Amino acid sequence: MHESTVSRVTSNKYMSTPRGIFELKYFFSSAISGTVDGDSHSAESVRHKIRQMIEAEDPKAILSDDTIVKILRDEGVDIARRTVAKYREAMKIGSSVQRRREKKTPGFDGPLVRPAVVVGRNLISISGCPLEQYDGF
């Protein structure tokens, strides 16, 4: 049965359960086609795989959306980078740049950079303290 048929049949139909009233669509998830043998994967299982990969990633080797796509394709899931980004954002997981900042190696804060301006021949920090003599370019 085609996905659009199920979607049309379950539209505006509700089910009363001991836990409340749910739209029938709640009980169905969309399918993502596979790369081999036409197997399909539920969107929910793909989201779960993405979450597992990101939680297990090495802080020194954060996975980009493109890398996640390659890993999923190797596992037989045909998915676009944009879909990975959409699922990641829906799960409130940051981009690879954001995760890299969050998982930064402890004890390393990077180089100390102090914003400064040149006044005459002196390099003055934004706070107003002289830093060093400046000889120009």
Side-chain angles (χ1 to χ4, degrees), residues 13-17 20-29:
K13 297 197 176 51
Y14 297 87
M15 175 185 279
S16 179
T17 70
I21 297 174
F22 297 93
E23 187 173 10
L24 281 178
K25 285 186 178 197
Y26 174 80
F27 299 102
F28 298 94
S29 81

Side-chain angles (χ1 to χ4, degrees), residues 1-71:
M1 189 175 293
H2 196 270
E3 183 179 343
S4 66
T5 304
V6 174
S7 176
R8 188 179 67 252
V9 169
T10 58
S11 283
N12 299 317
K13 297 197 176 51
Y14 297 87
M15 175 185 279
S16 179
T17 70
R19 296 188 181 246
I21 297 174
F22 297 93
E23 187 173 10
L24 281 178
K25 285 186 178 197
Y26 174 80
F27 299 102
F28 298 94
S29 81
S30 59
I32 296 174
S33 63
T35 56
V36 182
D37 298 331
D39 290 341
S40 60
H41 307 271
S42 76
E44 199 57 42
S45 69
V46 173
R47 283 188 196 100
H48 182 69
K49 285 181 183 182
I50 292 170
R51 181 178 295 282
Q52 283 183 324
M53 282 190 269
I54 291 173
E55 287 174 352
E57 69 188 357
D58 181 7
K60 295 178 183 174
I62 301 295
L63 300 172
S64 68
D65 291 344
D66 285 325
T67 306
I68 292 171
V69 167
K70 289 175 188 169
I71 294 169

Side-chain angles (χ1 to χ4, degrees), residues 44-102:
E44 199 57 42
S45 69
V46 173
R47 283 188 196 100
H48 182 69
K49 285 181 183 182
I50 292 170
R51 181 178 295 282
Q52 283 183 324
M53 282 190 269
I54 291 173
E55 287 174 352
E57 69 188 357
D58 181 7
K60 295 178 183 174
I62 301 295
L63 300 172
S64 68
D65 291 344
D66 285 325
T67 306
I68 292 171
V69 167
K70 289 175 188 169
I71 294 169
L72 288 172
R73 284 202 176 139
D74 290 343
E75 293 179 5
V77 180
D78 186 22
I79 191 168
R81 183 208 53 82
R82 180 117 172 82
T83 306
V84 169
K86 181 176 80 172
Y87 287 172
R88 181 181 46 69
E89 290 168 3
M91 294 184 288
K92 304 217 184 306
I93 298 174
S95 68
S96 58
V97 173
Q98 292 167 330
R99 295 194 316 273
R100 191 171 290 118
R101 287 183 190 138
E102 291 171 4

Side-chain angles (χ1 to χ4, degrees), residues 114-120 122-126 131 134:
R114 292 185 272 184
V117 294
V118 177
V119 177
N122 295 317
L123 189 61
I124 308 293
S125 73
I126 296 300
L131 296 173
Y134 178 74

